[in-house]
Amino acid sequence: MGFFDAFKNYWKETGNIYAKNFKRIVLTAPFWILAAALALSSTGVIRYFILTDVRNDQYMAEYWGEGSEVPFRQLSVFARSIESTGEYNIPLYLDNGTSIKKADIGTIRTSLQAIVDSAKGRSKDNGLADDGSPRGWTDCYSSFFNARIYDAALNHSSRDIVESDWKDVEIVAVGGDYRSFHPFIYMSGGFLPVECIDMDQIVLNDSIAWTIFGSYDVVGERVQLGGREFIVTGVVRERDSSIDREVGTNSPRAYIYYNAMEDIARNYNTDSSDSEDGLSSATHECAVLCYEAMLPELVKGVANSDIKSAVGYTENDPKYFVVSNTGRFNVLKVWDFNMPLGENSEKLREYRFPYWERASQTTMTHLFVDIIFVLAGALLLIIGIVTSVLRWHKKPLVIEDDSEEGEDDGKLLLEASSK
């Protein structure tokens, strides 16, 4: 019996210890709730600022409008296309109202320039510039495709070009004032001039420059792409945040003129088989996947309507995806982008997005999680405040005492305080 009595006493004492600890935890619950609320809210807010701070390409309107009395708004239009089935997956024009081709850029510029001119009144500087570029605002357009390049110096060497000499890259074909929308860190040289004087110029990112040449100081070197030699005019470094790495921003990449892409398409995709729409891709022009504009905006929200009108966007049957980059990371827009859950993802499957837009959309998803953190923290804060008020309103004089006498007195006081 002695063993069973000892076991019984041990179990009773252990149970009393656990009961006391549980009571202490319950009595201190408001503190833990408030601590959790602070942790969730702080995490959400800090992450929100960190994630948006690295997306400086979404804030270029602030730089463009610096010193101007009129604020500017940065906007992007993403169009659809079909892929060439030739050697390169160059995006090709699908149809009017769904795709944008280079010839459409002039029409869009004319429409937007008329709107800008009407807003500022009559002026001798009205209308597009003599070279067809915008006046008082700016824009750019781009497409992208995958290709293989190698050091053109190998063409003049004594050895044959082997498979390992070829390097896979993403080619971004640009036109207009691309630099005003996409800031880079320049390792050497500069970016492609706005006016295309030499179509055979190329800009490499640091990844492919190091892979091919083992150096960033390679201005003047030549690479082979699409059956022609391009001269390197600059090496740039793109963003390297966790989200950028997730979407492949730091992958090997090169930038050429849009005209050069059209020339490659003519030379290498004339033997394409029938595409999904039943038309030979050889009959199609190259497609512009992304058109970007920096428009003055006297009345908030008007620029968004202006660009939709210029590209022929209709709310009832939207064939383009239009983004107002300026202010896209505010809480309401982030919530609207992600809710209802999954609905927007289905709409965007039909588009080929460039790396910078994929990074921004991924940022929007992460920001949505941060908003949930902050909302959860706010809810816990309310619960913590309420439980704290109730806790201290009925605060007992004594919680617990280790002595038997103290235990009895504590119980009496607890009972008295609850009456």
Side-chain angles (χ1 to χ4, degrees):
M1 294 296 293
F3 171 78
F4 290 104
D5 289 340
F7 180 79
K8 182 178 179 182
N9 290 334
Y10 170 79
W11 185 261
K12 182 178 180 181
E13 291 174 1
T14 304
N16 288 337
I17 293 173
Y18 287 147
K20 292 176 183 178
N21 291 336
F22 179 74
K23 289 179 182 178
R24 290 191 179 96
I25 292 173
V26 171
L27 293 174
T28 58
F31 168 78
W32 296 112
I33 294 174
L34 291 173
L38 179 62
L40 284 173
S41 299
S42 300
T43 300
V45 171
I46 293 173
R47 272 175 44 88
Y48 203 100
F49 282 106
I50 291 176
L51 291 174
T52 56
D53 186 61
V54 298
R55 300 260 68 83
N56 54 343
D57 60 330
Q58 302 297 300
Y59 297 94
M60 296 308 293
E62 298 177 7
Y63 297 97
W64 180 262
E66 189 172 344
S68 173
E69 297 179 357
V70 179
F72 280 76
R73 181 172 291 274
Q74 178 183 351
L75 302 118
S76 300
V77 178
F78 298 97
R80 304 178 194 179
S81 68
I82 58 174
E83 282 190 13
S84 166
T85 54
E87 185 172 344
Y88 300 102
N89 63 337
I90 293 176
L92 301 175
Y93 184 79
L94 184 56
D95 56 48
N96 185 32
T98 300
S99 297
I100 299 175
K101 58 180 181 291
K102 185 179 176 181
D104 296 331
I105 300 300
T107 304
I108 295 172
R109 285 176 172 175
T110 300
S111 177
L112 291 175
Q113 187 68 56
I115 295 172
V116 171
D117 292 341
S118 65
K120 67 180 182 181
R122 292 185 176 182
S123 170
K124 63 179 181 179
D125 295 329
N126 282 355
L128 296 171
D130 294 338
D131 61 355
S133 61
R135 197 194 300 268
W137 58 286
T138 192
D139 70 350
C140 74
Y141 53 95
S142 58
S143 288
F144 50 94
F145 62 98
N146 298 322
R148 306 177 77 194
I149 66 176
Y150 63 87
D151 183 357
L154 296 175
N155 292 335
H156 311 289
S157 64
S158 58
R159 72 175 182 83
D160 294 331
I161 298 172
V162 296
E163 181 69 19
S164 60
D165 294 326
W166 292 91
K167 308 302 177 184
D168 294 324
V169 297
E170 179 185 51
I171 302 295
V172 181
V174 305
D177 191 9
Y178 189 84
R179 291 174 296 179
S180 291
F181 296 85
H182 302 278
F184 297 110
I185 298 173
Y186 290 90
M187 311 297 290
S188 63
F191 200 72
L192 302 172
V194 175
E195 184 180 356
C196 178
I197 299 175
D198 182 3
M199 191 170 65
D200 294 331
Q201 296 183 22
I202 191 170
V203 173
L204 309 178
N205 74 350
D206 56 335
S207 175
I208 190 61
W210 188 265
T211 300
I212 294 179
F213 299 106
S215 172
Y216 302 134
D217 188 15
V218 295
V219 173
E221 297 288 350
R222 294 177 178 272
V223 295
Q224 187 83 10
L225 166 64
R228 61 195 304 162
E229 287 190 1
F230 287 80
I231 184 170
V232 179
T233 59
V235 176
V236 298
R237 173 170 290 172
E238 296 143 335
R239 291 174 298 277
D240 191 32
S241 68
S242 59
I243 288 179
D244 289 307
R245 291 190 293 271
E246 180 181 341
V247 302
T249 298
N250 56 353
S251 300
R253 186 173 294 105
Y255 300 84
I256 63 174
Y257 281 112
Y258 192 90
N259 297 348
M261 181 187 72
E262 291 179 313
D263 189 66
I264 293 173
R266 284 190 293 267
N267 293 334
Y268 280 84
N269 294 288
T270 56
D271 59 345
S272 302
S273 58
D274 290 348
S275 58
E276 292 180 0
D277 62 355
L279 297 174
S280 171
S281 60
T283 66
H284 290 283
E285 299 179 66
C286 292
V288 173
L289 293 180
C290 178
Y291 175 76
E292 302 173 82
M294 195 81 69
L295 295 172
E297 188 175 57
L298 294 173
V299 180
K300 188 175 181 179
V302 170
N304 196 37
S305 301
D306 292 341
I307 198 168
K308 287 182 178 180
S309 174
V311 300
Y313 177 96
T314 58
E315 298 290 346
N316 294 333
D317 186 23
K319 297 293 180 65
Y320 303 112
F321 180 60
V322 180
V323 175
S324 175
N325 305 86
T326 304
R328 77 179 300 180
F329 293 142
N330 70 48
V331 173
L332 293 179
K333 287 189 176 181
V334 171
W335 185 272
D336 184 62
F337 178 81
N338 290 278
M339 294 297 291
L341 292 175
E343 182 177 292
N344 220 18
S345 299
E346 291 297 324
K347 296 179 181 178
L348 303 182
R349 291 184 187 276
E350 301 177 14
Y351 299 89
R352 290 175 61 188
F353 289 109
Y355 69 90
W356 64 85
E357 177 60 19
R358 295 199 306 271
S360 294
Q361 291 182 13
T362 303
T363 300
M364 297 276 277
T365 303
H366 284 259
L367 293 178
F368 180 73
V369 176
D370 296 332
I371 292 174
I372 299 300
F373 280 176
V374 174
L375 291 176
L379 178 61
L380 286 178
L381 179 62
I382 295 173
I383 295 174
I385 293 174
V386 171
T387 54
S388 296
V389 171
L390 296 176
R391 165 74 178 85
W392 293 106
H393 180 68
K394 295 185 178 182
K395 180 180 177 182
L397 297 178
V398 178
I399 296 176
E400 196 70 58
D401 194 284
D402 291 337
S403 66
E404 294 182 1
E405 183 178 354
E407 183 178 349
D408 294 336
D409 293 341
K411 290 179 179 179
L412 291 173
L413 290 172
L414 285 170
E415 292 175 359
S417 62
S418 62
K419 290 182 180 180

